[in-house]
Structures are given as structure tokens and as C-alpha cells.
Amino acid sequence: MDADLMLRPVDELAALVRSGELSARELVATSLRRIDELDPALNAFVDVDHEGALAAAEAIGPGDERPFAGVPIAIKGNRALAGMRLTHGCSLMAGFVADYDNGVVARLKAAGFVPVGTTNLPEYGIQPVTEPRAFGPTRNPWDAERTPGGSSGGSAAALAAGMVPIAHGNDGGGSIRIPAACCGLVGLKPQRGRVSTAPELGDSALVVDGVLTRTTRETAALLDVLAGYVPGDATWAPPPAEPFAASAAREPGRMRIAWTVTPPIDAEVDPRHVAAVQDAAALLADLGHDVVQADPPWRAEGLADLFGRVFGVQVALGIAYSGLIAGREPTADDMEPLSWALYALGRSIDSVAAALDAARLQALSRGLIAWIEGHDALLCPALAERPLPIGLLAGTPGDPMEAFRRAGEFTPFTPLLNATGLPGISLPLAHGDEGLPVAVQLVGTPASE
């Protein structure tokens, strides 16, 4: 019964609590028991808040009209949850306890969710695998010798294993869509600016928050919870014409869908991932949509290096922030070689060069956005490879950036969506001959989640 509860949709769980058929305490206690049983083998959580979660659940009674009152949720360890460590997967912040809730956490709590703990992520959220030196690797519930993806890998593993019925994540280069693909989950990267970056930032060029779920219906309902302007936001996405949940519940009508298996950078795509896209394209055609094979204008000389420079500046800012929290300048001994290499890269780029890199990436993005406006969606692989074996991206001591380049070959289809700001969703539409999930990705037009 415990495992079954954690596999049920979040609206159904909330309805059980609201009716009094199940108490919030029973539901949260079930999640905590599952974590105690399964997490020692998977290492999805950094901290589990048994006492705080149960106390919050005790305060929720039958009749609570909040849409998700009493439903447990995991929070990725790079968003502040009051009273819990905010680690960003790094040693410098390993002892820092947040005294406030991030805006996303506040909205989740206001909707009635009960956070049960914070989840593991790669150091500073850099890699598409979750193997931080500070907290150890998180393992994929489908195959414990493989990664659950990253950077929201702890959240994905917790959900896929049935420790929680839903989990928070965020995406700066694929960090929701990659672990969703590795773990057989639904993972939406919303439109840039859809979810506020309050209270720390006015906006973010690459990163947007969201959730990992088992169904598109739950994803849509949670986007209604998380979306919307917060005073002080520098930029924001236009509000939808109707609630996202309403859009997800009705037929979309006949859509124009392009598909491709050609990645934006040089990378070999696993035949099983190619077949999954081709099968999905055939399915969409059978459903009555207009489906055509096409080549998006997303290949450009030096694209991987350009994105790496823009990403490196963002990483350097994050590392500098951890130094402010720690009260001292970060050193190479504080972090993994790749983190230090990206920090050094970011610091080596002067302000004019950084602005020029951002402008060049925006110019490339405009071409892709203009092209995709001629369609309703683009279908492509979510990943180029199967979930990687644990340790494969550890890198070489002499050239830590080699691990960064190798990561790009694993995830060539995800980062450009962060550069463009376009919404994209990973959907688990197939299984390979190893029993591992295989996902496809749908890319939308601007603000078309």
C-alpha cells in the first residue's frame, strides 16, 4: 500500500486528504518510510526533514481547500527551504542552513505541498549526471550502475523509485529534461521567465524552475501553481490564455509538427533514440497531425564553445556566490576540477566579451525561434545516448573540460532551448532492450507550453 500511494497522481492524493479518507500525516509518513527504505541504495536525498515534514502534515486537516494540501514533495538542493541546508552540491555551502524559502518553494507550500527533504545534485548543477564529490553519486532506480541524469538527478531518482509522488527541479541546460529522460518521467522546461526567480534574482538567462512528474496532467497543474509574475521580476513570460491544466485536458486540434534526429552539435545518436523519434512521429501522424521531417537551423560553427563560455560565466557567478556565503574566496581545493576550470574560464572573460558572447547566442537563437514559428512543435530525441554508467564523466585530471565536452555529446539536444528560452518537454514514450526508458523531446514555440 505504501508504494502504491507514492505512485498515484498528486491531485488524487490531495483529494484523499481533503475528504478525510487519508490523513496528511499518514501520507507524509508513507513518503518518509519509503525514503528510509530506499535512499541508502540510491542516495537521492542530501537531507530528510522527518520532524518538520510530520509537523507540517499534522497542521493539515480534512477539508483543506488548497489544491495539493498534504502531498509530499522533494526540493532540489539548490533552492532555499527554510531550516534546511542549501548546498548546491558543493563543499563550500555544505553547512549553510537557509533561513527563508525561495519563491518557488513558497508557492509550493502555499498550494499545500509538504517538503520532505532536499535532493542531491552535481556540484553547482554543472554536469548532466549527479555525482558530487561532497555527497556521492545518486543512482538510477532502473539500473543502479547508471546515472539518473542531472542536474535534477536526486529529484528524478526519488520520484522514479516511489519515494515521493512529485519532485521539484530546475533546468539551465537540460537539468529537468535530462533526468526525466533517464528515469522514465515527464520533465518540462517552461518558457524563460514563466516561473519567477524571486527573491534572489530579477531574472535568469538560462535557468527556469519546474517539476518532475509521471504525467503531463500533473505537470500542467503544477505549472499553474508555479507560474506568474512576482513584484521585482525584471522580465516575465506573458500569462496564458487559459490555465495550463485546462489546455492539457482538451484536444489540441490538428498540429504542424516537424521532426529531426540531427543534433545541433557533432554527436552520435543511439539508434534506439532515433527509432523512438521515428515511432513518435508515426504515432502523431496516425493521430491526424501534419508531420514532416525537417532540419532546424540550429547547427553553427563553434556553438558548443559559445554555449560553454556563456554557461561558464553563469557558473562562475554561482561559485562566487558560494564564496560570499562561506565568507572567503573559493580555492581549487574547495571544488571539483571541472567546477574550478569553469570558474577560471568565467573569470577570464571580461565584461565586454561576456556581453558579446551573450549577443552572439541571442542572434543564433533568433534564427531558430523564427524557424520554429512555422510549426506548432519540433520533435527530436531528448538524449543522444542511454543513461551513462556511474563515473563515466569523472573527467581526466589533466583536462577537466574534457568531461564538459563529453557531457555535450550525451545531451546535445537540450542546452539550446535554454539559450532560446523556448519551452521543451521530455516524454517517456519507449523502452530499450535493456529495460531502460527512452524519451523524446517536444519543443514548443515561444510561451506555448
Side-chain angles (χ1 to χ4, degrees):
M1 178 62 177
D2 282 5
D4 291 343
L5 277 177
M6 292 299 100
L7 300 179
R8 296 184 67 169
V10 290
D11 56 341
E12 291 183 11
L13 293 175
L16 292 174
V17 172
R18 192 175 304 114
S19 69
E21 185 176 341
L22 179 71
S23 73
R25 181 185 174 85
E26 288 175 301
L27 183 55
V28 170
T30 296
S31 175
L32 293 170
R33 282 195 298 273
R34 293 283 294 171
I35 294 169
D36 290 343
E37 292 168 4
L38 300 176
D39 199 51
L42 296 176
N43 194 36
F45 283 86
V46 171
D47 289 316
V48 181
D49 188 15
H50 291 81
E51 184 176 336
L54 289 173
E58 288 279 10
I60 298 170
D64 194 315
E65 289 302 316
R66 291 177 295 171
F68 300 105
V71 178
I73 189 169
I75 305 298
K76 185 178 176 179
N78 64 353
R79 292 293 179 258
L81 173 60
M84 301 294 288
R85 288 191 297 167
L86 174 62
T87 69
H88 287 265
C90 69
S91 300
L92 268 176
M93 295 184 67
F96 175 67
V97 177
D99 60 1
Y100 69 98
D101 285 331
N102 175 268
V104 166
V105 174
R107 288 198 171 195
L108 290 169
K109 285 184 174 180
F113 283 104
V114 178
V116 293
T118 56
T119 55
N120 203 10
L121 70 154
E123 188 173 83
Y124 297 108
I126 294 170
Q127 285 283 51
V129 298
T130 301
E131 302 170 22
R133 183 174 68 186
F135 302 103
T138 298
R139 298 180 179 276
N140 192 320
W142 293 90
D143 181 347
E145 298 306 311
R146 293 179 181 266
T147 183
S151 65
S152 307
S155 287
L159 175 59
M163 294 186 241
V164 288
I166 192 168
H168 159 261
N170 38 52
D171 192 314
S175 291
I176 289 175
R177 291 161 289 150
I178 295 163
C182 287
C183 293
L185 304 171
V186 175
L188 171 72
K189 183 199 84 68
Q191 169 69 33
R192 178 192 293 139
R194 178 68 70 195
V195 180
S196 174
T197 54
E200 297 94 344
L201 300 172
D203 60 11
S204 175
L206 297 178
V207 181
V208 62
D209 282 70
V211 290
L212 293 119
T213 71
R214 292 193 177 87
T215 67
T216 54
R217 180 165 64 98
E218 292 169 287
T219 295
L222 264 293
L223 193 56
D224 285 322
V225 168
L226 296 177
Y229 170 80
V230 172
D233 287 346
T235 57
W236 57 92
E242 63 179 352
F244 293 106
S247 297
R250 63 174 173 78
E251 290 293 325
R254 189 166 184 165
M255 299 180 68
R256 298 161 300 166
I257 300 173
W259 68 271
T260 186
V261 293
T262 302
I265 64 172
D266 290 335
E268 184 175 345
V269 182
D270 188 294
R272 287 163 289 197
H273 294 248
V274 171
V277 170
Q278 293 170 337
D279 290 346
L283 174 61
L284 288 165
D286 288 344
L287 291 171
H289 300 294
D290 296 323
V291 181
V292 295
Q293 186 174 6
D295 288 319
W298 61 12
R299 290 183 68 87
E301 186 70 29
L303 173 61
D305 288 339
L306 176 61
F307 185 86
R309 286 168 62 84
V310 174
F311 187 78
V313 169
Q314 297 296 312
V315 168
L317 288 171
I319 293 174
Y321 171 74
S322 69
L324 287 176
I325 296 298
R328 61 179 176 81
E329 182 70 19
T331 69
D333 291 337
D334 291 321
M335 62 193 72
E336 298 163 22
L338 176 57
S339 303
W340 183 253
L342 285 169
Y343 183 50
L345 172 64
R347 293 190 63 178
S348 73
I349 300 172
D350 65 43
S351 58
V352 175
L356 179 60
D357 285 339
R360 289 176 59 206
L361 197 56
Q362 287 174 351
L364 178 64
S365 296
R366 280 189 178 276
L368 178 59
I369 293 169
W371 178 86
I372 204 169
E373 285 276 17
H375 309 82
D376 292 309
L378 170 66
L379 171 69
C380 63
L383 300 172
E385 302 177 57
R386 316 297 283 138
L388 299 181
I390 298 287
L392 185 67
L393 290 189
T396 57
D399 184 12
M401 289 299 290
E402 175 58 29
F404 190 68
R405 288 188 286 271
R406 179 64 181 85
E409 295 174 358
F410 174 43
T411 62
F413 294 96
T414 58
L416 197 53
L417 270 65
N418 299 84
T420 62
L422 294 171
I425 190 168
S426 177
L427 298 169
L429 294 189
H431 271 74
D433 51 17
E434 300 162 301
L436 292 166
V438 179
V440 300
Q441 179 177 225
L442 276 174
V443 182
T445 56
S448 68
E449 292 97 328

